[in-house]
Amino acid sequence: VAARPDVFNHNLETVPSLYLTVRPGARYFNSIRLLQQVKEIDPEMFTKSGIMVGLGETRNEILQVMDDLRAADVDFLTIGQYLQPTRKHHPVARFLPPDEFKSLETIAYAKGFLMVSSSPLTRSSHHAGDDFRRLQAARAGRR
């Protein structure tokens, strides 16, 4: 935080029930707490997190992740389709259609995120410069 990045990003990657298989070295609530602590140290710093869908999560689990991130005052959420990089990685459980991504985006905005990128091809770092300017404009519009 002392380095003052434009956006502090820490991706959750998935829902808590899948952490032991998808992110065995990480702990979901430690990640939530990290994002929350950034806002406690610097409430003006933009925070961002992302998840991949299609790993076997339920819609309700995705909505709970959104609630957990908003409780930590996270500003920006990315939601993208998981694509299995190699046969050794977790398999794709489901490919979500574009309308489900749009629905998740609508819900995320209703929950209070300043910015949401939700599509099958969304990746956390795409369009970072443009996203930062959009975040600034979204925050200014709320004041």
Side-chain angles (χ1 to χ4, degrees):
V1 175
R4 302 281 310 139
D6 291 333
V7 179
F8 185 98
N9 182 71
H10 181 74
N11 290 330
L12 294 179
E13 305 294 1
T14 190
V15 300
S17 68
L18 296 174
Y19 256 62
L20 288 178
T21 55
V22 175
R23 299 194 76 201
R27 297 295 172 260
Y28 177 82
F29 288 104
N30 287 350
S31 292
I32 292 289
R33 183 67 183 127
L34 172 68
L35 290 159
Q36 184 179 37
Q37 287 175 322
V38 169
K39 283 294 190 167
E40 289 169 359
I41 295 167
D42 185 350
E44 294 299 309
M45 184 170 289
F46 290 110
T47 52
K48 174 183 171 187
S49 191
I51 61 169
M52 301 175 293
V53 292
L55 288 156
E57 69 288 324
T58 67
R59 184 174 179 87
N60 284 340
E61 287 178 311
I62 296 169
L63 300 180
Q64 184 62 57
V65 166
M66 288 182 193
D67 289 341
D68 294 344
L69 288 169
R70 286 304 302 135
D73 203 20
V74 171
D75 301 298
F76 181 12
L77 174 64
T78 61
I79 304 171
Q81 173 67 51
Y82 171 70
L83 301 172
Q84 184 180 13
T86 72
R87 285 185 220 146
K88 294 178 184 178
H89 287 83
H90 195 286
V92 174
R94 179 171 170 258
F95 287 98
L96 280 70
D99 63 318
E100 283 191 50
F101 283 96
K102 184 63 179 164
S103 173
L104 291 171
E105 178 181 302
T106 300
I107 291 167
Y109 275 120
K111 289 181 179 287
F113 288 95
L114 287 177
M115 201 162 105
V116 180
S117 180
S118 178
S119 74
L121 297 178
T122 290
R123 296 298 175 261
S124 186
S125 61
H126 283 191
H127 314 293
D130 291 338
D131 289 345
F132 177 62
R133 287 183 285 283
R134 287 177 52 210
L135 272 170
Q136 290 175 308
R139 179 178 283 165
R142 284 200 178 164
R143 290 187 175 164

Short mmCIF file of all heavy atoms in Angstrom, two decimals, residues 56-113:
data_model
loop_
_atom_site.label_atom_id
_atom_site.label_comp_id
_atom_site.label_asym_id
_atom_site.label_seq_id
_atom_site.Cartn_x
_atom_site.Cartn_y
_atom_site.Cartn_z
N GLY A 56 -17.07 -25.49 -11.25
CA GLY A 56 -17.97 -26.33 -10.46
C GLY A 56 -18.70 -25.58 -9.38
O GLY A 56 -19.42 -26.17 -8.57
N GLU A 57 -18.55 -24.26 -9.36
CA GLU A 57 -19.23 -23.43 -8.36
C GLU A 57 -20.71 -23.30 -8.69
O GLU A 57 -21.13 -23.52 -9.82
CB GLU A 57 -18.59 -22.03 -8.31
CG GLU A 57 -18.82 -21.19 -9.55
CD GLU A 57 -18.05 -21.64 -10.78
OE1 GLU A 57 -16.91 -22.09 -10.66
OE2 GLU A 57 -18.62 -21.52 -11.88
N THR A 58 -21.50 -22.91 -7.70
CA THR A 58 -22.91 -22.62 -7.93
C THR A 58 -23.11 -21.11 -8.07
O THR A 58 -22.24 -20.32 -7.67
CB THR A 58 -23.80 -23.11 -6.77
OG1 THR A 58 -23.50 -22.33 -5.60
CG2 THR A 58 -23.57 -24.59 -6.48
N ARG A 59 -24.23 -20.73 -8.62
CA ARG A 59 -24.55 -19.30 -8.76
C ARG A 59 -24.59 -18.63 -7.39
O ARG A 59 -24.09 -17.53 -7.21
CB ARG A 59 -25.87 -19.13 -9.50
CG ARG A 59 -26.23 -17.68 -9.77
CD ARG A 59 -27.48 -17.60 -10.64
NE ARG A 59 -27.88 -16.25 -10.93
CZ ARG A 59 -27.43 -15.52 -11.94
NH1 ARG A 59 -26.53 -16.02 -12.78
NH2 ARG A 59 -27.86 -14.29 -12.13
N ASN A 60 -25.19 -19.30 -6.41
CA ASN A 60 -25.26 -18.72 -5.06
C ASN A 60 -23.88 -18.51 -4.47
O ASN A 60 -23.65 -17.54 -3.75
CB ASN A 60 -26.13 -19.58 -4.14
CG ASN A 60 -27.60 -19.38 -4.41
OD1 ASN A 60 -28.02 -18.39 -5.00
ND2 ASN A 60 -28.41 -20.34 -3.97
N GLU A 61 -22.95 -19.41 -4.77
CA GLU A 61 -21.58 -19.23 -4.28
C GLU A 61 -20.94 -18.00 -4.92
O GLU A 61 -20.22 -17.25 -4.24
CB GLU A 61 -20.74 -20.47 -4.56
CG GLU A 61 -21.07 -21.66 -3.67
CD GLU A 61 -20.26 -22.88 -4.00
OE1 GLU A 61 -20.18 -23.24 -5.20
OE2 GLU A 61 -19.69 -23.48 -3.07
N ILE A 62 -21.19 -17.78 -6.19
CA ILE A 62 -20.66 -16.59 -6.87
C ILE A 62 -21.23 -15.33 -6.22
O ILE A 62 -20.50 -14.36 -5.96
CB ILE A 62 -20.98 -16.62 -8.38
CG1 ILE A 62 -20.29 -17.80 -9.06
CG2 ILE A 62 -20.57 -15.30 -9.04
CD1 ILE A 62 -20.76 -18.05 -10.49
N LEU A 63 -22.52 -15.34 -5.95
CA LEU A 63 -23.16 -14.18 -5.33
C LEU A 63 -22.60 -13.93 -3.94
O LEU A 63 -22.41 -12.77 -3.53
CB LEU A 63 -24.68 -14.37 -5.28
CG LEU A 63 -25.36 -14.54 -6.64
CD1 LEU A 63 -26.87 -14.71 -6.46
CD2 LEU A 63 -25.04 -13.41 -7.59
N GLN A 64 -22.28 -15.01 -3.20
CA GLN A 64 -21.69 -14.84 -1.88
C GLN A 64 -20.29 -14.24 -1.98
O GLN A 64 -19.92 -13.39 -1.16
CB GLN A 64 -21.63 -16.18 -1.14
CG GLN A 64 -21.09 -16.06 0.29
CD GLN A 64 -21.96 -15.18 1.16
OE1 GLN A 64 -23.14 -15.44 1.31
NE2 GLN A 64 -21.38 -14.11 1.72
N VAL A 65 -19.52 -14.64 -2.98
CA VAL A 65 -18.20 -14.04 -3.19
C VAL A 65 -18.36 -12.54 -3.44
O VAL A 65 -17.61 -11.73 -2.89
CB VAL A 65 -17.45 -14.73 -4.35
CG1 VAL A 65 -16.24 -13.91 -4.80
CG2 VAL A 65 -17.03 -16.13 -3.96
N MET A 66 -19.33 -12.18 -4.25
CA MET A 66 -19.59 -10.75 -4.48
C MET A 66 -19.87 -10.04 -3.17
O MET A 66 -19.33 -8.95 -2.92
CB MET A 66 -20.77 -10.57 -5.44
CG MET A 66 -20.51 -10.93 -6.85
SD MET A 66 -22.03 -10.58 -7.81
CE MET A 66 -21.66 -11.44 -9.33
N ASP A 67 -20.72 -10.62 -2.34
CA ASP A 67 -21.04 -10.00 -1.04
C ASP A 67 -19.81 -9.88 -0.17
O ASP A 67 -19.60 -8.85 0.49
CB ASP A 67 -22.12 -10.81 -0.32
CG ASP A 67 -23.49 -10.69 -0.97
OD1 ASP A 67 -23.73 -9.73 -1.74
OD2 ASP A 67 -24.34 -11.58 -0.70
N ASP A 68 -18.98 -10.92 -0.14
CA ASP A 68 -17.75 -10.88 0.67
C ASP A 68 -16.82 -9.78 0.17
O ASP A 68 -16.22 -9.05 0.98
CB ASP A 68 -17.03 -12.23 0.62
CG ASP A 68 -17.81 -13.35 1.30
OD1 ASP A 68 -18.76 -13.08 2.06
OD2 ASP A 68 -17.45 -14.52 1.05
N LEU A 69 -16.69 -9.64 -1.13
CA LEU A 69 -15.83 -8.59 -1.68
C LEU A 69 -16.38 -7.20 -1.40
O LEU A 69 -15.62 -6.28 -1.09
CB LEU A 69 -15.64 -8.80 -3.19
CG LEU A 69 -14.76 -9.99 -3.58
CD1 LEU A 69 -14.85 -10.26 -5.07
CD2 LEU A 69 -13.31 -9.74 -3.15
N ARG A 70 -17.68 -7.03 -1.50
CA ARG A 70 -18.26 -5.72 -1.19
C ARG A 70 -18.12 -5.39 0.29
O ARG A 70 -17.88 -4.25 0.66
CB ARG A 70 -19.73 -5.66 -1.62
CG ARG A 70 -19.92 -5.54 -3.11
CD ARG A 70 -19.19 -4.33 -3.74
NE ARG A 70 -19.63 -3.08 -3.12
CZ ARG A 70 -18.81 -2.11 -2.73
NH1 ARG A 70 -17.51 -2.19 -2.92
NH2 ARG A 70 -19.32 -1.02 -2.17
N ALA A 71 -18.24 -6.41 1.16
CA ALA A 71 -18.03 -6.19 2.60
C ALA A 71 -16.60 -5.72 2.87
O ALA A 71 -16.36 -4.98 3.83
CB ALA A 71 -18.34 -7.46 3.39
N ALA A 72 -15.66 -6.11 2.01
CA ALA A 72 -14.27 -5.65 2.11
C ALA A 72 -14.05 -4.36 1.33
O ALA A 72 -12.93 -3.90 1.18
CB ALA A 72 -13.32 -6.74 1.61
N ASP A 73 -15.12 -3.78 0.78
CA ASP A 73 -15.10 -2.51 0.05
C ASP A 73 -14.28 -2.58 -1.24
O ASP A 73 -13.66 -1.59 -1.65
CB ASP A 73 -14.60 -1.38 0.95
CG ASP A 73 -15.06 -0.02 0.47
OD1 ASP A 73 -16.04 0.07 -0.30
OD2 ASP A 73 -14.41 0.98 0.85
N VAL A 74 -14.29 -3.74 -1.89
CA VAL A 74 -13.59 -3.89 -3.17
C VAL A 74 -14.35 -3.12 -4.25
O VAL A 74 -15.58 -3.19 -4.32
CB VAL A 74 -13.41 -5.38 -3.54
CG1 VAL A 74 -12.90 -5.55 -4.95
CG2 VAL A 74 -12.47 -6.04 -2.53
N ASP A 75 -13.61 -2.39 -5.09
CA ASP A 75 -14.21 -1.52 -6.09
C ASP A 75 -14.51 -2.19 -7.42
O ASP A 75 -15.47 -1.86 -8.09
CB ASP A 75 -13.25 -0.34 -6.38
CG ASP A 75 -12.94 0.46 -5.16
OD1 ASP A 75 -13.86 1.04 -4.58
OD2 ASP A 75 -11.75 0.50 -4.76
N PHE A 76 -13.64 -3.10 -7.84
CA PHE A 76 -13.65 -3.60 -9.22
C PHE A 76 -13.62 -5.13 -9.18
O PHE A 76 -12.80 -5.72 -8.48
CB PHE A 76 -12.43 -3.03 -9.94
CG PHE A 76 -12.27 -3.40 -11.39
CD1 PHE A 76 -13.26 -4.01 -12.13
CD2 PHE A 76 -11.08 -3.11 -12.03
CE1 PHE A 76 -13.07 -4.34 -13.47
CE2 PHE A 76 -10.87 -3.43 -13.36
CZ PHE A 76 -11.88 -4.05 -14.09
N LEU A 77 -14.52 -5.74 -9.92
CA LEU A 77 -14.62 -7.19 -9.99
C LEU A 77 -14.50 -7.66 -11.43
O LEU A 77 -15.15 -7.10 -12.32
CB LEU A 77 -15.96 -7.67 -9.42
CG LEU A 77 -16.28 -9.15 -9.55
CD1 LEU A 77 -15.29 -10.01 -8.76
CD2 LEU A 77 -17.71 -9.41 -9.09
N THR A 78 -13.67 -8.68 -11.66
CA THR A 78 -13.62 -9.33 -12.97
C THR A 78 -14.12 -10.76 -12.82
O THR A 78 -13.83 -11.44 -11.83
CB THR A 78 -12.19 -9.34 -13.57
OG1 THR A 78 -11.32 -10.06 -12.69
CG2 THR A 78 -11.68 -7.94 -13.80
N ILE A 79 -14.91 -11.19 -13.80
CA ILE A 79 -15.44 -12.55 -13.84
C ILE A 79 -15.18 -13.10 -15.24
O ILE A 79 -15.66 -12.52 -16.22
CB ILE A 79 -16.95 -12.59 -13.54
CG1 ILE A 79 -17.27 -11.92 -12.19
CG2 ILE A 79 -17.46 -14.04 -13.57
CD1 ILE A 79 -18.75 -11.74 -11.93
N GLY A 80 -14.42 -14.17 -15.32
CA GLY A 80 -14.09 -14.76 -16.61
C GLY A 80 -14.26 -16.27 -16.61
O GLY A 80 -14.30 -16.89 -15.55
N GLN A 81 -14.38 -16.82 -17.78
CA GLN A 81 -14.52 -18.27 -17.93
C GLN A 81 -13.18 -18.95 -17.67
O GLN A 81 -12.16 -18.57 -18.22
CB GLN A 81 -14.98 -18.61 -19.35
CG GLN A 81 -15.02 -20.09 -19.68
CD GLN A 81 -16.07 -20.86 -18.89
OE1 GLN A 81 -17.23 -20.48 -18.86
NE2 GLN A 81 -15.66 -21.95 -18.25
N TYR A 82 -13.19 -19.97 -16.82
CA TYR A 82 -12.00 -20.78 -16.60
C TYR A 82 -11.75 -21.63 -17.84
O TYR A 82 -12.67 -22.23 -18.40
CB TYR A 82 -12.18 -21.69 -15.38
CG TYR A 82 -11.07 -22.71 -15.23
CD1 TYR A 82 -9.80 -22.30 -14.87
CD2 TYR A 82 -11.31 -24.05 -15.47
CE1 TYR A 82 -8.77 -23.22 -14.75
CE2 TYR A 82 -10.28 -24.98 -15.35
CZ TYR A 82 -9.02 -24.56 -14.99
OH TYR A 82 -8.00 -25.48 -14.88
N LEU A 83 -10.50 -21.66 -18.26
CA LEU A 83 -10.07 -22.50 -19.37
C LEU A 83 -8.91 -23.35 -18.87
O LEU A 83 -7.91 -22.82 -18.39
CB LEU A 83 -9.64 -21.64 -20.56
CG LEU A 83 -10.71 -20.72 -21.13
CD1 LEU A 83 -10.11 -19.79 -22.18
CD2 LEU A 83 -11.86 -21.52 -21.71
N GLN A 84 -9.03 -24.65 -18.96
CA GLN A 84 -8.02 -25.58 -18.45
C GLN A 84 -6.73 -25.44 -19.26
O GLN A 84 -6.70 -25.74 -20.45
CB GLN A 84 -8.56 -27.00 -18.55
CG GLN A 84 -7.66 -28.06 -17.97
CD GLN A 84 -8.27 -29.45 -18.10
OE1 GLN A 84 -9.23 -29.67 -18.82
NE2 GLN A 84 -7.69 -30.39 -17.40
N PRO A 85 -5.63 -24.97 -18.63
CA PRO A 85 -4.39 -24.74 -19.38
C PRO A 85 -3.69 -26.02 -19.81
O PRO A 85 -3.09 -26.06 -20.88
CB PRO A 85 -3.53 -23.93 -18.42
CG PRO A 85 -4.13 -24.06 -17.08
CD PRO A 85 -5.55 -24.50 -17.25
N THR A 86 -3.72 -27.06 -18.98
CA THR A 86 -3.11 -28.35 -19.34
C THR A 86 -3.98 -29.45 -18.74
O THR A 86 -4.82 -29.21 -17.88
CB THR A 86 -1.67 -28.51 -18.78
OG1 THR A 86 -1.75 -28.69 -17.36
CG2 THR A 86 -0.79 -27.32 -19.13
N ARG A 87 -3.75 -30.68 -19.17
CA ARG A 87 -4.51 -31.82 -18.63
C ARG A 87 -4.26 -32.03 -17.14
O ARG A 87 -5.05 -32.67 -16.46
CB ARG A 87 -4.16 -33.09 -19.39
CG ARG A 87 -4.79 -33.13 -20.75
CD ARG A 87 -4.52 -34.45 -21.42
NE ARG A 87 -4.24 -34.16 -22.82
CZ ARG A 87 -3.41 -34.81 -23.58
NH1 ARG A 87 -2.74 -35.83 -23.11
NH2 ARG A 87 -3.23 -34.46 -24.83
N LYS A 88 -3.16 -31.50 -16.64
CA LYS A 88 -2.83 -31.65 -15.22
C LYS A 88 -3.63 -30.69 -14.33
O LYS A 88 -3.68 -30.87 -13.12
CB LYS A 88 -1.34 -31.41 -14.99
CG LYS A 88 -0.45 -32.44 -15.63
CD LYS A 88 1.01 -32.11 -15.40
CE LYS A 88 1.90 -33.11 -16.12
NZ LYS A 88 3.32 -32.77 -15.96
N HIS A 89 -4.23 -29.68 -14.93
CA HIS A 89 -4.99 -28.68 -14.18
C HIS A 89 -6.44 -29.12 -13.99
O HIS A 89 -6.92 -30.04 -14.65
CB HIS A 89 -4.94 -27.33 -14.89
CG HIS A 89 -3.62 -26.66 -14.78
ND1 HIS A 89 -2.56 -26.96 -15.62
CD2 HIS A 89 -3.17 -25.72 -13.94
CE1 HIS A 89 -1.52 -26.22 -15.29
NE2 HIS A 89 -1.87 -25.45 -14.27
N HIS A 90 -7.12 -28.42 -13.10
CA HIS A 90 -8.53 -28.67 -12.81
C HIS A 90 -9.32 -28.65 -14.12
O HIS A 90 -9.14 -27.75 -14.94
CB HIS A 90 -9.04 -27.58 -11.86
CG HIS A 90 -10.33 -27.89 -11.20
ND1 HIS A 90 -11.53 -27.85 -11.86
CD2 HIS A 90 -10.62 -28.24 -9.93
CE1 HIS A 90 -12.50 -28.15 -11.03
NE2 HIS A 90 -11.98 -28.40 -9.85
N PRO A 91 -10.21 -29.61 -14.34
CA PRO A 91 -10.99 -29.62 -15.58
C PRO A 91 -12.08 -28.54 -15.58
O PRO A 91 -12.51 -28.07 -14.53
CB PRO A 91 -11.64 -31.01 -15.58
CG PRO A 91 -11.71 -31.39 -14.14
CD PRO A 91 -10.51 -30.76 -13.48
N VAL A 92 -12.49 -28.15 -16.76
CA VAL A 92 -13.64 -27.23 -16.89
C VAL A 92 -14.89 -28.04 -16.57
O VAL A 92 -15.14 -29.08 -17.17
CB VAL A 92 -13.73 -26.64 -18.32
CG1 VAL A 92 -14.99 -25.82 -18.48
CG2 VAL A 92 -12.50 -25.82 -18.65
N ALA A 93 -15.67 -27.56 -15.62
CA ALA A 93 -16.92 -28.24 -15.25
C ALA A 93 -18.07 -27.78 -16.14
O ALA A 93 -19.01 -28.53 -16.40
CB ALA A 93 -17.25 -27.99 -13.78
N ARG A 94 -17.98 -26.52 -16.61
CA ARG A 94 -19.09 -25.95 -17.37
C ARG A 94 -18.64 -24.69 -18.09
O ARG A 94 -17.85 -23.92 -17.56
CB ARG A 94 -20.22 -25.61 -16.40
CG ARG A 94 -21.43 -24.99 -17.01
CD ARG A 94 -22.54 -24.91 -15.94
NE ARG A 94 -23.64 -24.13 -16.42
CZ ARG A 94 -23.89 -22.87 -16.08
NH1 ARG A 94 -23.12 -22.23 -15.24
NH2 ARG A 94 -24.93 -22.23 -16.58
N PHE A 95 -19.14 -24.50 -19.29
CA PHE A 95 -18.94 -23.25 -20.02
C PHE A 95 -20.21 -22.43 -19.86
O PHE A 95 -21.29 -22.88 -20.23
CB PHE A 95 -18.65 -23.50 -21.51
CG PHE A 95 -17.27 -24.04 -21.75
CD1 PHE A 95 -17.07 -25.40 -21.93
CD2 PHE A 95 -16.17 -23.20 -21.77
CE1 PHE A 95 -15.80 -25.91 -22.15
CE2 PHE A 95 -14.89 -23.69 -21.99
CZ PHE A 95 -14.71 -25.06 -22.17
N LEU A 96 -20.07 -21.25 -19.27
CA LEU A 96 -21.24 -20.39 -19.07
C LEU A 96 -21.53 -19.61 -20.34
O LEU A 96 -20.61 -19.10 -20.98
CB LEU A 96 -20.99 -19.40 -17.93
CG LEU A 96 -21.16 -19.94 -16.51
CD1 LEU A 96 -20.07 -20.91 -16.15
CD2 LEU A 96 -21.21 -18.80 -15.53
N PRO A 97 -22.80 -19.48 -20.70
CA PRO A 97 -23.16 -18.69 -21.87
C PRO A 97 -23.01 -17.19 -21.58
O PRO A 97 -23.07 -16.76 -20.43
CB PRO A 97 -24.61 -19.07 -22.14
CG PRO A 97 -25.13 -19.59 -20.85
CD PRO A 97 -23.96 -20.15 -20.10
N PRO A 98 -22.82 -16.39 -22.63
CA PRO A 98 -22.63 -14.94 -22.44
C PRO A 98 -23.74 -14.26 -21.64
O PRO A 98 -23.45 -13.34 -20.87
CB PRO A 98 -22.57 -14.41 -23.87
CG PRO A 98 -22.03 -15.56 -24.67
CD PRO A 98 -22.64 -16.78 -24.03
N ASP A 99 -24.98 -14.72 -21.77
CA ASP A 99 -26.06 -14.06 -21.02
C ASP A 99 -25.92 -14.26 -19.51
O ASP A 99 -26.33 -13.40 -18.73
CB ASP A 99 -27.44 -14.50 -21.52
CG ASP A 99 -27.71 -15.98 -21.32
OD1 ASP A 99 -26.81 -16.80 -21.56
OD2 ASP A 99 -28.85 -16.32 -20.93
N GLU A 100 -25.32 -15.35 -19.08
CA GLU A 100 -25.08 -15.54 -17.64
C GLU A 100 -24.02 -14.58 -17.14
O GLU A 100 -24.11 -14.07 -16.02
CB GLU A 100 -24.69 -16.98 -17.33
CG GLU A 100 -25.86 -17.93 -17.35
CD GLU A 100 -25.52 -19.30 -16.80
OE1 GLU A 100 -24.94 -19.38 -15.69
OE2 GLU A 100 -25.83 -20.28 -17.49
N PHE A 101 -23.00 -14.33 -17.96
CA PHE A 101 -21.98 -13.34 -17.58
C PHE A 101 -22.62 -11.95 -17.47
O PHE A 101 -22.31 -11.20 -16.55
CB PHE A 101 -20.84 -13.32 -18.59
CG PHE A 101 -19.89 -14.46 -18.44
CD1 PHE A 101 -20.03 -15.61 -19.21
CD2 PHE A 101 -18.86 -14.41 -17.51
CE1 PHE A 101 -19.15 -16.67 -19.07
CE2 PHE A 101 -17.97 -15.47 -17.36
CZ PHE A 101 -18.13 -16.60 -18.14
N LYS A 102 -23.51 -11.62 -18.40
CA LYS A 102 -24.19 -10.32 -18.35
C LYS A 102 -25.05 -10.21 -17.09
O LYS A 102 -25.09 -9.17 -16.44
CB LYS A 102 -25.04 -10.14 -19.62
CG LYS A 102 -25.69 -8.78 -19.71
CD LYS A 102 -24.66 -7.67 -19.78
CE LYS A 102 -25.33 -6.32 -19.90
NZ LYS A 102 -24.39 -5.23 -19.61
N SER A 103 -25.74 -11.29 -16.75
CA SER A 103 -26.55 -11.30 -15.54
C SER A 103 -25.70 -11.09 -14.29
O SER A 103 -26.06 -10.31 -13.40
CB SER A 103 -27.31 -12.63 -15.44
OG SER A 103 -27.98 -12.73 -14.21
N LEU A 104 -24.55 -11.76 -14.23
CA LEU A 104 -23.65 -11.59 -13.09
C LEU A 104 -23.12 -10.16 -13.02
O LEU A 104 -22.99 -9.58 -11.94
CB LEU A 104 -22.50 -12.59 -13.16
CG LEU A 104 -22.87 -14.05 -12.94
CD1 LEU A 104 -21.68 -14.96 -13.26
CD2 LEU A 104 -23.37 -14.28 -11.52
N GLU A 105 -22.85 -9.57 -14.17
CA GLU A 105 -22.40 -8.16 -14.21
C GLU A 105 -23.48 -7.23 -13.65
O GLU A 105 -23.19 -6.35 -12.83
CB GLU A 105 -22.06 -7.78 -15.63
CG GLU A 105 -21.64 -6.32 -15.79
CD GLU A 105 -21.33 -5.97 -17.23
OE1 GLU A 105 -20.46 -6.62 -17.83
OE2 GLU A 105 -21.98 -5.04 -17.74
N THR A 106 -24.71 -7.43 -14.07
CA THR A 106 -25.82 -6.60 -13.59
C THR A 106 -25.97 -6.71 -12.08
O THR A 106 -26.13 -5.71 -11.38
CB THR A 106 -27.12 -7.01 -14.31
OG1 THR A 106 -26.95 -6.82 -15.72
CG2 THR A 106 -28.31 -6.20 -13.83
N ILE A 107 -25.90 -7.93 -11.57
CA ILE A 107 -26.02 -8.15 -10.13
C ILE A 107 -24.86 -7.49 -9.39
O ILE A 107 -25.05 -6.84 -8.35
CB ILE A 107 -26.08 -9.66 -9.82
CG1 ILE A 107 -27.40 -10.24 -10.34
CG2 ILE A 107 -25.90 -9.92 -8.33
CD1 ILE A 107 -27.43 -11.76 -10.38
N ALA A 108 -23.64 -7.61 -9.92
CA ALA A 108 -22.47 -7.03 -9.27
C ALA A 108 -22.59 -5.51 -9.17
O ALA A 108 -22.27 -4.92 -8.13
CB ALA A 108 -21.19 -7.44 -10.00
N TYR A 109 -23.05 -4.88 -10.24
CA TYR A 109 -23.25 -3.43 -10.17
C TYR A 109 -24.31 -3.09 -9.13
O TYR A 109 -24.17 -2.12 -8.38
CB TYR A 109 -23.64 -2.86 -11.54
CG TYR A 109 -22.45 -2.54 -12.42
CD1 TYR A 109 -22.30 -3.16 -13.65
CD2 TYR A 109 -21.49 -1.61 -12.03
CE1 TYR A 109 -21.22 -2.86 -14.48
CE2 TYR A 109 -20.40 -1.31 -12.84
CZ TYR A 109 -20.28 -1.94 -14.06
OH TYR A 109 -19.20 -1.64 -14.87
N ALA A 110 -25.37 -3.87 -9.06
CA ALA A 110 -26.43 -3.62 -8.07
C ALA A 110 -25.91 -3.78 -6.65
O ALA A 110 -26.41 -3.12 -5.73
CB ALA A 110 -27.60 -4.56 -8.32
N LYS A 111 -24.90 -4.60 -6.47
CA LYS A 111 -24.31 -4.79 -5.15
C LYS A 111 -23.34 -3.67 -4.77
O LYS A 111 -22.89 -3.62 -3.64
CB LYS A 111 -23.61 -6.15 -5.07
CG LYS A 111 -24.58 -7.33 -5.04
CD LYS A 111 -23.85 -8.65 -4.95
CE LYS A 111 -24.82 -9.81 -4.91
NZ LYS A 111 -25.52 -9.94 -3.63
N GLY A 112 -23.01 -2.80 -5.74
CA GLY A 112 -22.22 -1.63 -5.41
C GLY A 112 -20.81 -1.56 -5.95
O GLY A 112 -20.06 -0.64 -5.60
N PHE A 113 -20.40 -2.51 -6.79
CA PHE A 113 -19.07 -2.40 -7.38
C PHE A 113 -19.03 -1.17 -8.28
O PHE A 113 -20.00 -0.88 -8.99
CB PHE A 113 -18.72 -3.65 -8.20
CG PHE A 113 -18.43 -4.86 -7.36
CD1 PHE A 113 -19.43 -5.78 -7.09
CD2 PHE A 113 -17.17 -5.06 -6.82
CE1 PHE A 113 -19.18 -6.90 -6.30
CE2 PHE A 113 -16.90 -6.18 -6.04
CZ PHE A 113 -17.91 -7.10 -5.78
#
